Amino acid sequence: MLTTAQALDAILASVRPAPTERVALSDAVARVLRQRVIAERDQPPFDRVTMDGIAIEYDRFAIGERQFPIQAMQAAGDEALALEPGHAIEIMTGASLPTGADCIVPVERVSLVDQLATIEGGYRAESGQFIHRRASDHARGTPLLPAGTRIGALDVAVIASCGLAEVDVATRARIAVISTGNELVAAGEPIADHQVRMSNGPAVVAMLAEHGQARARHVHINDDKTALRTELGQLLAANDVLVLSGGVSMGKADYVPEVLQSLGVEVVFHGISQRPGKPMWFGLGPDGQSVFALPGNPVSTLVCCRHYVIPALRKIAGMAAMTPQFSVLAQPVTFAPSLTCFLPVRLVSNAAGQVLSLPVHTNTSGDFAALAGTDGYVELALGRRDFPSGSAVPLHRWRT
């Protein structure tokens, strides 16, 4: 049986990158860049004034001059004027610095009477003050965003500033989330005492959306070999990624592995030395589709989705692997089985700036309600039994 690290490595080695497409910048939010974004111009592209006031020559102020005739007014977007010696130009925030000026005096330090600007007594000006120098943020040609960036609002501002109306992005993976089980009933539908609400599928779809995969569709299939073969065959042909929940253990009605293999899905592994989620199955379809069959217990489903499906989708989109995070256990934990333990936690911090994990023990791997309010889970290493309070352990947040 694979370790958790071996299982993740096997998945990442198997998935293939999505193709590239070009989209309008207005349609690029939450998509993944497939190009570098390079600065079109110096930023700022001119010496930019950062305060409403007057533009003067500092040397005149330094020798004691405090009154300056107003030559003109220059607003943001106006072409830069040439300052006449001994004069001032009334200037607005965002305007280009007038030629010959090297000091801005704020408007609240100046009185204007009959086109004569008088600087208040005792004011201390400095050469270059309130001037944002050309290229001081970055020069033309500077790489600003790398390929693999998931585009957010701040990235849109950068891309637009570089003059790009369109960008190359990864095509969205076609994803189907499949709930299996005769006992499952969707929310809003009548339910019998012997049935349970369908929660895994909607939760997986929601988790994918939180990680930028908002177009996954959800399907329910009963535990019937014929129905599974027919519907999974159709879904396999129409999608790049299948994420199934349930039907992968050793029960007589756990048909998923058998049906998938009959459809030409090659098993990469079945089973991981972890709790929860030990029966997880992963395979590759005949056309390279990634097929994840997650255990049906809700805690197992969500942990396996976050730990294996999300990193795979990031690689498919061309994103970098997530940066490892760590936390300190706020309480001692003992875990006897010879398995890796994925333990849900709530996060707090202390005055020393440490991120502390408070263990949240689920009653069983079906106790999904216990996950409400948790921030993620910690990974307790295989081969250890006791984890004292203060132990530093890997942290995996539900949301990244």
Side-chain angles (χ1 to χ4, degrees), residues 13-31:
S14 300
V15 299
R16 60 185 187 183
T20 297
E21 64 178 340
R22 178 159 290 188
V23 300
L25 181 56
S26 57
D27 296 325
V29 177
R31 303 295 293 273

Side-chain angles (χ1 to χ4, degrees), residues 29-40:
V29 177
R31 303 295 293 273
V32 178
L33 269 176
R34 281 288 177 80
Q35 66 178 84
R36 290 197 310 167
V37 175
I38 306 299
E40 177 190 37

Side-chain angles (χ1 to χ4, degrees), residues 82-100:
L83 179 65
E84 297 175 5
H87 286 68
I89 291 177
E90 201 172 352
I91 201 77
M92 307 301 166
T93 300
S96 298
L97 182 69
T99 304

Side-chain angles (χ1 to χ4, degrees), residues 59 122 128 133 137 169 172 259 271 284 313 328-329 339 350 358 368 372 397:
D59 287 348
R133 290 297 183 183
D137 290 351
V169 298
R172 288 189 174 104
V259 170
L284 293 176
L313 292 176
V328 173
L329 289 176
L339 299 167
N350 61 18
L358 292 169
F368 59 89
R397 299 175 187 264

Side-chain angles (χ1 to χ4, degrees), residues 53-54 68 70 88 90 107 110-118:
I54 59 171
F68 300 86
I70 296 296
E90 201 172 352
V107 64
V110 178
S111 63
L112 294 172
V113 179
D114 296 332
Q115 291 300 101
L116 182 67
T118 302

Side-chain angles (χ1 to χ4, degrees), residues 28-345:
V29 177
R31 303 295 293 273
V32 178
L33 269 176
R34 281 288 177 80
Q35 66 178 84
R36 290 197 310 167
V37 175
I38 306 299
E40 177 190 37
R41 312 165 71 198
D42 294 340
Q43 179 60 30
F46 48 81
D47 289 340
R48 188 174 70 89
V49 173
T50 63
M51 184 73 68
D52 292 340
I54 59 171
I56 62 171
E57 301 167 274
Y58 175 75
D59 287 348
R60 297 275 180 171
F61 181 90
I63 63 175
E65 293 186 23
R66 296 295 182 270
Q67 290 189 320
F68 300 86
I70 296 296
Q71 172 188 332
M73 186 189 78
Q74 184 182 311
D78 291 348
E79 188 173 352
L81 299 172
L83 179 65
E84 297 175 5
H87 286 68
I89 291 177
E90 201 172 352
I91 201 77
M92 307 301 166
T93 300
S96 298
L97 182 69
T99 304
D102 60 358
C103 178
I104 306 300
V105 180
V107 64
E108 56 267 31
R109 303 297 190 180
V110 178
S111 63
L112 294 172
V113 179
D114 296 332
Q115 291 300 101
L116 182 67
T118 302
I119 300 173
E120 69 179 24
Y123 179 72
R124 295 182 179 181
E126 296 180 8
S127 177
Q129 70 180 12
F130 303 122
I131 299 169
H132 189 186
R133 290 297 183 183
R134 176 174 180 165
S136 58
D137 290 351
H138 56 255
R140 177 183 177 182
T142 301
L144 300 181
L145 294 176
T149 299
R150 176 167 286 144
I151 300 170
L154 302 182
D155 305 309
V156 168
V158 172
I159 295 167
S161 76
C162 294
L164 296 176
E166 297 178 329
V167 287
D168 292 337
V169 298
T171 58
R172 288 189 174 104
R174 297 169 299 171
I175 305 172
V177 175
I178 302 112
S179 298
T180 65
N182 298 340
E183 74 279 16
L184 302 179
V185 178
E189 298 295 325
I191 190 167
D193 290 344
H194 61 278
Q195 297 175 312
V196 296
R197 286 297 182 192
M198 190 184 308
S199 61
N200 288 359
V204 169
V205 169
M207 182 176 286
L208 298 183
E210 287 181 331
H211 290 267
Q213 304 289 342
R215 297 177 65 185
R217 57 178 294 222
H218 179 228
V219 178
H220 173 225
I221 309 175
N222 283 332
D223 286 326
D224 175 85
K225 281 188 181 181
T226 301
L228 281 167
R229 181 176 174 81
T230 299
E231 296 191 49
L232 286 180
Q234 294 171 349
L235 292 167
L236 194 62
N239 291 278
D240 306 302
V241 179
L242 300 188
V243 183
L244 295 94
S245 171
V248 295
S249 294
M250 303 300 291
K252 289 185 177 180
D254 290 327
Y255 303 129
V256 167
E258 176 187 345
V259 170
L260 287 173
Q261 290 180 74
S262 75
L263 293 170
V265 181
E266 180 182 355
V267 60
V268 175
F269 65 78
H270 188 184
I272 309 172
S273 57
Q274 66 179 56
R275 182 181 291 177
K278 183 178 178 181
M280 181 175 157
W281 189 101
F282 173 73
L284 293 176
D287 296 318
Q289 304 96 322
S290 298
V291 182
F292 300 85
L294 314 181
N297 283 322
V299 179
S300 301
T301 296
L302 294 175
V303 166
C304 288
C305 182
R306 168 60 184 81
H307 205 78
Y308 301 108
V309 179
I310 296 303
L313 292 176
R314 288 176 65 93
K315 184 170 182 182
I316 289 170
M319 299 179 70
M322 288 180 279
T323 302
Q325 296 187 33
F326 295 86
S327 178
V328 173
L329 289 176
Q331 300 170 2
V333 176
T334 297
F335 184 73
S338 184
L339 299 167
T340 296
C341 175
F342 290 140
L343 177 64
V345 294

